[in-house]
Amino acid sequence: MTAKGTFVYGLDKENSLALSFPAQEAKSLEEVLFEEFDAGRGVRVTFHVIIGKASGYRTFYLTAASPLHFAYADQDEVEADGTLLARFRTAITEKRALHFPVERMPEEEPA
């Protein structure tokens, strides 16, 4: 079974949004978000979701003041993925949104 990581946005039970992704993707998102928060910046993140029977997406600008948290199951220790961290950091530097699931994230343009 693949370990899952869950991103939860919002504090109140009725209006919060909970989205699950592979644990390494979630852990990598958590790490880069908090790097940016520690520097006083926010990050745009686009979550691709199924809305009814159609694909859709929601984009959030996440900041340290945003009510969000991460939860992990099925695994005691979850490590961030180095390749994902590099992709996320590049996207943030280039002011592009991060996309989840990661397979929906546009590829970087060659330098």
Side-chain angles (χ1 to χ4, degrees):
M1 173 188 249
T2 300
K4 291 288 185 189
T6 300
F7 165 84
V8 181
Y9 181 79
L11 291 176
D12 103 25
K13 198 173 183 180
E14 291 76 31
N15 296 316
S16 63
L17 171 70
L19 300 166
S20 291
F21 300 99
Q24 282 194 315
E25 289 184 20
K27 187 65 175 180
S28 300
L29 172 62
E30 179 182 11
E31 191 167 315
V32 296
L33 280 181
F34 286 92
E35 288 172 1
E36 293 302 302
F37 295 171
D38 286 345
R41 296 183 293 263
V43 177
R44 278 185 303 144
V45 181
T46 298
F47 295 102
H48 297 266
V49 295
I50 302 298
I51 302 170
K53 293 185 180 184
S55 287
Y57 64 91
R58 293 185 68 182
T59 299
F60 296 93
Y61 186 71
L62 303 175
T63 69
S66 301
L68 59 92
H69 67 270
F70 292 83
Y72 301 95
D74 299 327
Q75 203 170 12
D76 292 330
E77 282 294 316
V78 180
E79 297 291 327
D81 179 278
T83 302
L84 287 178
L85 290 173
R87 285 184 73 193
F88 293 167
R89 289 175 181 139
T90 297
I92 290 168
T93 299
E94 295 174 357
K95 301 194 182 318
R96 294 185 287 117
L98 306 182
H99 289 255
F100 284 83
V102 173
E103 66 214 26
R104 299 294 299 267
M105 191 161 167
E107 292 295 323
E108 294 81 20
E109 295 295 320

